[in-house]
Amino acid sequence: MYYAREPGKINHMRYDTLAQMLTLGNIRAGNKMIVMETCAGLVLGAMMERMGGFGSIIQLYPGGGPVRAATACFGFPKSFLSGLYEFPLNKVDSLLNGTFSAEMLSSEPKDSASVDESNGALEEKQTSEQENEDSMAEASESSPPEEQGTMEIASHNLEHKELKERESKKDHIQEKQRKQEEQRKRHLEAAALLSERNADGLIVASRFHPTSLLLSLLDFVAPSRPFVVYCQYKEPLLECYTKLRERGGVINLRLSETWLRNYQVLPDRSHPKLLMSGGGGYLLSGFTVAMDNLKADTSLKSNASTLESHTTEEPAAKKRKCPESDS
């Protein structure tokens, strides 16, 4: 539905490309997956559906909070949401450097903004109350004694309404603080899961450039695990491909594009449809390997180069002996 009506919200990802991502990423029950997507929660919902509520998913999000409009349309039970964690993308560097702490989450600008809003609302309340009292005093001075009774009833009703509004706003502020505290706890749990650096896979499907995202997030993935990167265009993935080859630590890199053709199947008139999809995006997939093995390979190469130098010296020594035998 998203691809047919509003493909821009899901970065023009076609349904067969989404199926290829789930297959190449080895999404299954019991996995511990990392996902970074800006497709309105469509990729996240597809992963949750395939995992069936078993395992854990850590969603990295940019901005103020994760967008899960498409995930809500799946109708998952609450048990599915117990294994879903979110973590802000701007805190990933501090987590990699080892400078991440719980105080960084508590000092987010959201809390200060909410406090400022509540303070501003209280100031507006006080000014409105003073204006109402002044107007009521002026009206009581100018009005006859018969109308003063009705004015007192009206002022009593206004005070009752203001008290109700204050109580409701206090409850709203308390509820907001409770949600922020729960969100902070979930962020700390997600940070603990990421710091273990043993994720079973990585899925990236965002509107941002994939190179910097992938190079930083691959450190959280365990060796011999798959990763898949989606992009609407080929050029960013080509740059990502070359950077990964220079960095090392990955094997079986493959840049692919799936081709889709719809067929009309009717009696005596089955044929491919004339209008086809031009493209459904590109996928870069591969597997992670341990970096220590690469260091061992370089030492083996150095040993091999020394052996080659010895073998090249041996024929030169034989040539020297040949003329002595002739004489």
Side-chain angles (χ1 to χ4, degrees):
M1 185 273 292
Y2 270 104
Y3 184 74
R5 295 188 178 182
E6 294 174 329
K9 287 189 175 181
I10 58 172
N11 298 330
H12 295 267
M13 180 188 293
R14 207 168 51 199
Y15 37 88
D16 61 317
T17 308
L18 177 61
Q20 288 285 328
M21 286 181 66
L22 298 177
T23 303
L24 293 172
N26 192 25
I27 311 298
R28 58 184 177 83
N31 275 5
K32 175 183 175 182
M33 301 298 301
I34 302 174
V35 58
M36 165 56 196
E37 58 110 340
T38 56
C39 300
L42 179 66
V43 179
L44 175 65
M47 293 171 64
M48 291 173 66
E49 183 182 19
R50 184 164 286 200
M51 292 176 69
F54 298 96
S56 58
I57 301 177
I58 305 161
Q59 182 187 10
L60 302 173
Y61 63 89
V67 179
R68 296 172 181 170
T71 310
C73 298
F74 281 83
F76 293 127
K78 290 184 179 180
S79 60
F80 279 51
L81 302 176
S82 61
L84 178 60
Y85 303 88
E86 65 260 5
F87 192 76
L89 191 63
N90 55 2
K91 300 290 190 300
V92 170
D93 291 335
S94 61
L95 197 60
L96 286 171
N97 299 331
T99 58
F100 178 79
S101 62
E103 297 175 357
M104 296 177 67
L105 292 175
S106 61
S107 62
E108 287 184 352
K110 280 186 181 180
D111 301 335
S112 60
S114 62
V115 171
D116 293 338
E117 288 175 2
S118 60
N119 292 335
L122 288 172
E123 288 176 0
E124 288 178 358
K125 279 185 195 175
Q126 290 174 358
T127 54
S128 62
E129 286 172 5
Q130 289 176 359
E131 290 175 357
N132 290 330
E133 288 175 359
D134 294 338
S135 61
M136 292 294 290
E138 291 175 359
S140 62
E141 289 176 359
S142 60
S143 60
E146 294 178 356
E147 296 179 356
Q148 287 182 0
T150 57
M151 296 293 287
E152 289 176 358
I153 293 171
S155 63
H156 181 70
N157 292 333
L158 283 172
E159 289 176 359
H160 188 63
K161 286 181 181 178
E162 287 171 359
L163 285 172
K164 281 187 176 180
E165 288 177 358
R166 286 179 192 171
E167 290 176 357
S168 64
K169 288 193 175 180
K170 282 182 182 178
D171 294 339
H172 178 69
I173 291 170
Q174 289 177 356
E175 183 70 17
K176 195 173 183 180
Q177 289 176 351
R178 187 182 63 80
K179 286 182 179 179
Q180 286 179 354
E181 187 64 26
E182 288 180 358
Q183 187 182 19
R184 182 171 168 273
K185 288 181 181 178
R186 299 290 285 179
H187 285 174
L188 290 174
E189 291 175 359
L193 289 174
L194 286 172
S195 59
E196 294 175 358
R197 303 197 179 192
N198 60 351
D200 294 320
L202 172 64
I203 305 292
V204 178
S206 70
R207 61 179 183 273
F208 305 111
H209 201 285
T211 303
S212 58
L213 279 174
L214 186 62
L215 291 178
S216 59
L217 295 180
L218 276 179
D219 293 334
F220 297 115
V221 183
S224 186
R225 299 296 191 276
F227 63 90
V228 186
V229 187
Y230 167 80
C231 189
Q232 184 183 353
Y233 308 103
K234 181 171 60 175
E235 287 76 15
L237 290 182
L238 285 173
E239 182 182 348
C240 191
Y241 181 91
T242 54
K243 292 288 185 183
L244 283 173
R245 292 297 296 267
E246 292 173 2
R247 172 186 175 270
V250 291
I251 58 170
N252 197 20
L253 281 178
R254 189 177 68 170
L255 180 59
S256 61
E257 179 191 12
T258 54
W259 187 64
L260 181 69
R261 167 173 275 181
N262 293 322
Y263 280 83
Q264 172 185 301
V265 181
L266 291 172
D268 297 330
R269 53 188 186 276
S270 296
H271 60 79
K273 290 187 177 180
L274 299 177
L275 297 177
M276 290 173 50
S277 172
Y282 298 86
L283 293 177
L284 176 64
S285 60
F287 289 87
T288 58
V289 291
M291 297 289 285
D292 295 334
N293 294 336
L294 294 175
K295 294 178 182 177
D297 290 342
T298 54
S299 62
L300 287 174
K301 285 180 181 178
S302 62
N303 294 332
S305 62
T306 54
L307 287 173
E308 287 176 359
S309 63
H310 289 308
T311 53
T312 52
E313 288 174 359
E314 286 176 0
K318 287 179 181 177
K319 285 181 181 178
R320 289 176 186 173
K321 292 179 182 179
C322 286
E324 292 177 0
S325 60
D326 293 336
S327 62

